[in-house]
Amino acid sequence: MYGAILGDIIGSPYEFDRSGKTKDFPLFSPESRFTDDTVMTVAVADAFLSCPAGASDEAIRRQLIRSMQRFGRLHPDIGYGAKFLNWLMSEDPQPYGSWGNGSAMRVSPCGLIAVTLQEALELAEASAAVTHNHPEGIKGAQAVAAAIFLARTGRTQAEIK
C-alpha cells in the first residue's frame, strides 16, 4: 500500500499531463497531493480489515460500500469522476458498469491480505464489483491484485508476467 499511495502522491502533478514521459522529475513538489485513488485504497483496506473472518459476500459488499462512502465523503473534491462521485453520494449506491481504471487503482490491499492467489482474485472482484462491475473493470483489478500477491510471495518478474 505504501507504493500505491506514494506513487499516487508522486504522480499527482502529472496525472493529466500528456506532454511526454521522462525519468527526470522531482519526487515531491508543491503540487504533490493524495488523490481519490489514495482515499479509495485506504477505504478498501479498511473494509477488508473491518470484516470478520468468514464474512459472507453480501457482508463484504456492504462493508466495502460503507467504507468507500465514509472515506470518500470526507474528501469529496480530490478528483473523482462524475459517475463515481454520484455513486459516492448516493443513498442507494449501485454498480454502474464502469470499465475504467479506478478499480485497479484501489485494489492493492487485496493482494496484500490474501493468503492464496485465488483469494486475491476473489477479493479484487469484490472490491471492483461494487462500482466497476463491467468484466474489464473486474479484470483490471484482478490483474493488479494478482501481481501484488505474486510479488509479495516471492515470484520472479517473469513468473508475474
Side-chain angles (χ1 to χ4, degrees):
M1 280 184 48
Y2 287 130
I5 292 169
L6 287 171
D8 183 45
I9 294 168
I10 292 166
S12 64
Y14 313 102
E15 186 168 2
F16 300 105
D17 181 0
R18 303 290 185 237
S19 63
K21 294 181 180 182
T22 180
K23 293 181 180 179
D24 184 25
F25 62 89
L27 289 183
F28 297 100
S29 70
E31 294 82 31
S32 297
R33 61 181 179 79
F34 68 91
T35 74
D36 56 324
D37 296 325
T38 290
V39 174
M40 288 300 109
T41 298
V42 172
V44 168
D46 177 75
F48 285 116
L49 292 173
S50 298
C51 284
S56 70
D57 292 345
E58 181 59 25
I60 292 169
R61 187 187 75 75
R62 282 194 311 269
Q63 186 58 50
L64 281 160
I65 292 168
R66 212 173 6 257
S67 292
M68 291 168 76
Q69 286 191 319
R70 180 167 53 95
F71 281 91
R73 289 173 179 177
L74 289 172
H75 304 281
D77 300 319
I78 57 170
Y80 301 108
K83 286 184 180 180
F84 186 83
L85 191 57
N86 286 337
W87 180 92
L88 197 62
M89 299 304 172
S90 174
E91 292 303 316
D92 183 27
Q94 298 298 316
Y96 51 92
S98 178
W99 49 270
N101 71 349
S103 59
M105 298 301 289
R106 67 184 185 222
V107 77
S108 60
C110 299
L112 293 173
I113 64 172
V115 177
T116 66
L117 178 57
Q118 184 60 38
E119 183 181 22
L121 297 173
E122 291 168 2
L123 295 175
E125 180 176 3
S127 75
V130 294
T131 56
H132 292 62
N133 61 334
H134 186 283
E136 295 302 316
I138 292 170
K139 285 181 198 176
Q142 288 178 319
V144 172
I148 291 168
F149 175 82
L150 293 170
R152 181 179 62 82
T153 56
R155 298 306 192 338
T156 67
Q157 192 172 11
E159 289 173 313
I160 294 169
K161 187 176 178 182

